[in-house]
Amino acid sequence: MARVVVNVPASAKRGEVIEIRTLAGHVMETGFRRTERGVLVPRDIITRFVCTYNGVEVFSAELHPAMAANPLISFTTVATESGTLEFRWTGDNGYAVTESAKISVA
């Protein structure tokens, strides 16, 4: 199981721009490395990240082998209403992790 960390403010004022940071711990393999016998090590990376705010997609990213093994993703959105931010990471070999965070908007 991968370790993920999300940093979302617990509260914000309506209309305020908030910063969200996520970190996904993942053992990455680019697919370019070879074993000592010369066989390619299969690629194993996180390929997509999506954040939804009360079910509406507010940010997404396609990730490629040049990304860090533990991608740190930082982005902003506008606090519109209280609710839940859901974060989804998907990747090779069936990798899928979901995390959520609540925010209170006044």
Side-chain angles (χ1 to χ4, degrees):
M1 184 71 163
R3 179 175 175 265
V4 296
V5 177
V6 296
N7 185 332
V8 175
S11 62
K13 293 180 183 175
R14 188 174 313 279
E16 181 180 352
V17 175
I18 57 170
E19 181 181 23
I20 299 168
R21 292 181 295 179
T22 70
L23 176 71
H26 182 270
V27 179
M28 187 176 105
E29 185 54 60
T30 64
F32 300 123
R33 201 167 58 91
R34 295 185 180 272
T35 67
E36 52 200 39
R37 296 187 187 268
V39 178
L40 277 175
V41 176
R43 186 179 92 159
D44 187 9
I45 65 170
I46 297 172
T47 57
R48 184 151 171 78
F49 169 77
V50 176
C51 174
T52 59
Y53 184 1
N54 288 339
V56 177
E57 186 176 301
V58 293
F59 183 85
S60 69
E62 297 284 331
L63 307 177
H64 302 278
M67 293 297 294
N70 302 313
L72 170 66
I73 299 172
S74 178
F75 60 96
T76 59
T77 191
V78 176
T80 56
E81 61 186 352
S82 296
T84 303
L85 289 121
E86 184 175 275
F87 308 91
R88 288 187 309 268
W89 295 263
T90 55
D92 296 333
N93 305 317
Y95 179 85
V97 175
T98 302
E99 185 67 39
S100 63
K102 297 219 180 270
I103 186 167
S104 176
V105 176

